Amino acid sequence: MEFSWGSGQESRRLLLLLLLLATWEAGNGQLHYSVSEEAKHGTFVGRIAQDLGLELAELVPRLFRVASKGRGDLLEVNLQNGILFVNSRIDREELCGRSAECSIHLEVIVDRPLQVFHVDVEVRDINDNPPVFPATQKNLSIAESRPLDSQFPLEGASDADIGENALLTYRLSPNEYFSLEKPSDDELVKGLGLILRKSLDREEAPEIFLVLTATDGGKPELTGTIQLLITVLDANDNAPAFDRTLYKVRLPENVPNGTLVIKLNASDLDEGLNGDIVYSFSNDVSPNVKSKFHIDPITGQIIVKGYIDFEESKSYEIIVEGIDKGQLPLSGHCRVIVEVEDNNDHVPDLEFKSLSLPIREDAPLGTVIALISVSDKDMGVNGLVTCSLTSHVPFKLVSTFKNYYSLVLDSALDRESVSAYELVVTARDGGSPSLWATASVSVEVADVNDNAPAFAQPEYTVFVKENNPPGCHIFTVSAWDADAQENALVSYSLVERRVGERALSSYVSVHAESGKVYALQPLDHEELELLQFQVSARDAGVPPLGSNVTLQVFVLDENDNAPALLAPRAGGIGGSVNELVPWSVGAGHVVAKVRAVDADSGYNAWLSYELQPGTGGTLIPFRVGLYTGEISTTRVLDEADAPRHRLLVLVKDHGEPALTATATVLVSLVESGQAPKASSRALSGAVSPEAALVDVNVYLIIAICAVSSLLVFTLLLYTALRCSAPPTEGACAPGKPTLVCSSEVGSWSYSPQRRPRVCSGEGPPKTDLMAFSPSLPDSREREDQLQTAEESFAKVSV
């Protein structure tokens, strides 16, 4: 007799599974291969590099690697030809047990950029496991009085293969007493038994020997056998009978020891000892079941005595015997199927498979930073895991394949705002209450040179006195770069240009690291009053970024030029002036005029004239205008005066210290007829005071307008400098307002509001601007002061 082990429904399901595994779905980004178990080392599986669209030359540079969680090195890739091959023995039963589906999941990871591919290699079953019975021989004791069609359960064989290879058929050796019971269609019940077809007679046949053969559906077929030794017993009329032949019980996992599973009840129609029943597990029950459960021999209660874990086994089959206490004991049998219910008792597991850190701040959106694997040993909803990420961060989690997530960039990064992120990934299952696990990762943002050095202001004004020593430090520029490391390393340089006929670098230099600006040579106010140039700041990034700042260096005048006498209008000897003066001239007659200029400017170019006293203290009838240089008589000449006078005129500026020059004027007194006409013509300007007064008024208006314009310009310049520039540094000192001079001619002063710092030197700094307030007591003095104003304002420099 032969019976098939399995059902048409299972066959259809296996066929559908094979069709699905043979189909390649291009949209899901996953490769499928198949390989038979027990394949030899080096067996070709697939051209994985070609199928993934990767070039062979880029496998090594991009760190091509294959990972298989818990699968060891069963499969390997040849990096020379991109072929996936069998590396070590593959035993499907060892990998997947009785599972209908068995595949090796590979993670193919390449860097630069980071990419992850998923590859499933189906392990095809071969018929390499024969059917195996629990024992090689089974002893049965059957009373001769048992009625026909009595059933005697047997433990069927098991086959470690799956599908057709595990589809078992049974064949009983030919005999006249027993036939095989048809196996149940219930997948959880592996029932198999003998059916009594002919009454037993102990006296005729006390022992019966049978052979039960199990054959699988593989090609070639494999078989397993068990010998059945049936001992025919005499006496006992009635065997114990259970209420049902099959019991099904649901039991939650993790229940404590001593938990009642079920209470069985069997009855025996006999009386006395023949009706007393003892409950026990069948000898065919596996040791694993016996370690988990215990049956009370008197009450028939089955209780838990070991750890029940759904992940270890989802069901248990227990064969229970009820044996009476008769001299010839009879037994009844039943099956108890314990289905284990899953509880949410496993916390999700999180694992970072690959990290690509740090991430550049200019990385494009969607850049993969990490690959995260999540898993949960529970089943159903309890094993359904979802992941979440710390809120308010520029990253997100993207589900890629089954329980895999990619940590990708979701919004733009700025290292100058946030240089690192502490991310917490939370994996939570769908149980009630749910369990969760967390994993932290620190994502550092790598700097990109996206910030140019910046100065505090776009322009600086510096005041430096002329004649500074070579190499004098006049200013320090400083720029700040918001980037990091070499991208924030700032160096300074001059923006070269021509200053007149010379290069800028011949005047100043800047230290590349400190930003200190030095004057390479003494500066001359008379040659260069304003030196304007730019300093460039560049960082060390690639490509470098930079910015410029403008420096305006005003060279302040020093009193380094003595007054210079102009050539006299009349001929002289050795630079002296010879003048012939008639004896008849009156007081105030202009005899001569000493002319001098000063190459300096401002206060240092303001000249005054003094007449040196005669030798021996002799009084002379002449004087010199303090600011005009005009020599005139102080009284009417008389015969007591010497006919020749040698006048020494000291020309002095107002610098500190003052510089001087001396002019010699030789005056000869002659009769009126001997005086040259040229001298008379030279003095004709003083004869008409009315005309001179008109000229004085015109010049005075011009002078007042010029002074007013200078004052307004000074105030505007002062206001602009106060608002724009901080105090300069280094060897510089603040300026102070100083009153210069007050005389009978007028008051000269420089503006009290100047730039607050100039290059360091002896004494307080002075301005180049002067204001003149005239005082005109009479027409003669007004004429003198007018000429003084004309000459002095010609030397004023702003």
Side-chain angles (χ1 to χ4, degrees), residues 569-722:
R569 290 179 297 176
I573 302 174
S576 62
V577 179
N578 295 317
E579 292 291 343
L580 299 178
V581 179
W583 285 89
S584 60
V585 297
H589 176 77
V590 177
V591 175
K593 185 171 184 178
V594 177
R595 299 177 182 272
V597 294
D598 197 312
D600 295 322
S601 62
Y603 209 60
N604 297 325
W606 186 20
L607 302 181
S608 62
Y609 301 86
E610 297 179 8
L611 188 61
Q612 297 295 94
T615 57
T618 305
L619 296 177
I620 55 177
F622 301 99
R623 66 179 178 86
V624 65
L626 180 61
Y627 300 108
T628 63
E630 291 183 347
I631 300 174
S632 61
T633 58
T634 59
R635 55 181 174 82
V636 178
L637 301 176
D638 55 27
E639 294 181 356
D641 295 320
R644 294 178 63 86
H645 295 273
R646 187 172 185 271
L647 305 179
L648 297 179
V649 179
L650 181 66
V651 184
K652 180 172 64 175
D653 58 28
H654 286 76
E656 293 181 5
L659 300 179
T660 61
T662 303
T664 303
V665 180
L666 300 177
V667 179
S668 300
L669 301 180
V670 297
E671 296 299 332
S672 298
Q674 299 178 1
K677 295 181 180 180
S679 296
S680 298
R681 289 193 303 270
L683 299 178
S684 62
V687 176
S688 178
E690 291 78 13
L693 182 58
V694 174
D695 294 338
V696 167
N697 291 335
V698 174
Y699 292 144
L700 184 58
I701 293 173
I702 294 174
I704 291 174
C705 291
V707 171
S708 300
S709 300
L710 291 175
L711 180 59
V712 172
F713 177 77
T714 301
L715 293 176
L716 292 176
L717 180 62
Y718 166 75
T719 303
L721 295 178
R722 281 292 298 269

Side-chain angles (χ1 to χ4, degrees), residues 30 54 60 105 119 132 191 213 232 262 299 315 332 360 380 438 463 509 517 532 586 591 672 687 721 733 766 797:
Q30 181 179 1
L54 301 175
V60 174
H105 178 69
V119 179
V132 177
T213 303
V232 181
I262 191 174
T299 63
S315 66
R360 289 169 57 92
T438 61
F463 293 90
S509 68
V517 181
Q532 180 172 306
V591 175
S672 298
V687 176
L721 295 178
K766 294 187 290 294
S797 70

Side-chain angles (χ1 to χ4, degrees), residues 66-76 86-97 99 101-107 119-123 353 402 404:
V66 175
S68 176
K69 185 176 181 180
R71 303 303 188 189
D73 57 347
L74 300 179
L75 300 173
E76 192 56 70
V86 175
N87 187 48
S88 59
R89 176 179 176 267
I90 301 176
D91 187 348
R92 187 190 184 283
E93 289 71 32
E94 180 181 347
L95 288 176
C96 305
S99 176
E101 299 178 7
C102 185
S103 63
I104 301 174
H105 178 69
L106 302 178
E107 297 170 10
V119 179
D120 272 347
V121 180
E122 176 196 0
V123 180
K353 304 295 290 184
K402 292 182 180 178
Y404 286 86

Side-chain angles (χ1 to χ4, degrees), residues 221-236:
E221 297 178 344
L222 299 179
T223 60
T225 61
I226 183 174
Q227 294 184 356
L228 303 178
L229 176 58
I230 301 174
T231 302
V232 181
L233 303 176
D234 198 17
N236 220 342

